[in-house]
Amino acid sequence: MKAVFSLLTALLLALNPAWSQEPGPNAPLVTISTSEGDITLRLFPDKSPLTVANFLSYVDSGHYDGTIFHRVIPNFMVQGGGFLPDMTEKATGEPIVNESRNRLHNIRGTIAMARTSDPDSATAQFFINQRSNLQLDWSPGQVGYTVFGEVIEGMSVVDYIASSPVRQWAGFQDVPVEPILIHSVQRKTSE
């Protein structure tokens, strides 16, 4: 019965992602300008206030400018925001508290914070789910990965990035052979 319920929930979320992830009014918009095209995000400060504030502080400081998508796994996700093209890691601020109990799901097109095995270790790195990854959600006994926004334009860019040939380099796996640059990440005015 539990498996049937999980399947039905996943199906409902896949058919109508907005059902569980409806943003509040005045949700900030952010554009990630990459070497492969632009990705526009709508953030969820009402559901993930600490995470959105943290992400926007990195946006406003220009932290993401010149970084890369350094980890690309097709049919899973694309990760960026922490490394320069030579795989030098950028300095970050203090880690933030995990907000994965916010009832937002790691479904296709959502953006979440990357972290280590320590639930409260997220700093600047983020990932965009290329498919629904409900196994990354919070559940009893399992701390999840905090979703804090969704792609509203440019999912085809995410799909293209996810198809990049990858290699093992500088001790990292799944690094694109040709760097995928993040030229800038900037706030956008509401439409």
Side-chain angles (χ1 to χ4, degrees):
M1 186 65 169
K2 184 177 177 183
V4 171
F5 179 74
S6 294
L7 180 61
L8 288 174
T9 301
L11 183 58
L12 285 172
L13 290 172
L15 292 175
N16 187 6
W19 176 65
S20 68
Q21 323 233 105
E22 196 63 38
N26 305 316
L29 301 178
V30 171
T31 299
I32 303 173
S33 296
T34 79
S35 55
E36 308 306 327
D38 290 352
I39 303 163
T40 301
L41 308 171
R42 177 184 297 124
L43 305 181
F44 302 138
D46 54 328
K47 298 279 190 165
S48 307
L50 297 174
T51 306
V52 168
N54 177 68
F55 180 74
L56 289 174
S57 72
Y58 286 108
V59 168
D60 294 341
S61 73
H63 173 88
Y64 296 119
D65 301 358
T67 61
I68 59 170
F69 281 97
H70 66 275
R71 185 171 177 231
V72 171
I73 304 174
N75 200 29
F76 182 45
M77 61 90 221
V78 299
Q79 181 176 337
F83 290 88
L84 297 171
D86 65 359
M87 292 303 287
T88 301
E89 190 168 8
K90 288 192 79 170
T92 61
E94 292 297 312
I96 59 170
V97 173
N98 186 296
E99 294 180 297
S100 65
R101 290 185 73 153
N102 61 9
R103 298 189 184 269
L104 296 178
H105 299 283
N106 282 277
I107 58 175
R108 177 174 163 77
T110 55
I111 184 170
M113 292 305 294
R115 61 172 175 79
T116 67
S117 58
D118 176 353
D120 300 324
S121 61
T123 55
Q125 291 184 40
F126 59 86
F127 62 92
I128 300 172
N129 288 292
Q130 193 207 7
R131 67 161 190 171
S132 291
N133 293 306
L134 299 180
Q135 75 277 13
L136 300 180
D137 290 353
W138 179 91
S139 63
Q142 175 183 307
V143 178
Y145 291 79
T146 303
V147 170
F148 65 97
E150 66 183 345
V151 174
I152 58 170
E153 289 179 22
M155 198 59 202
S156 60
V157 175
V158 174
D159 289 336
Y160 186 74
I161 292 170
S163 72
S164 300
V166 296
R167 63 182 168 157
Q168 184 171 345
W169 185 48
F172 295 90
Q173 294 183 336
D174 306 308
V175 178
V177 173
E178 293 295 322
I180 299 167
L181 297 174
I182 297 174
H183 296 302
S184 66
V185 182
Q186 297 179 336
R187 291 184 194 234
K188 188 176 173 180
T189 57
S190 295
E191 298 171 352

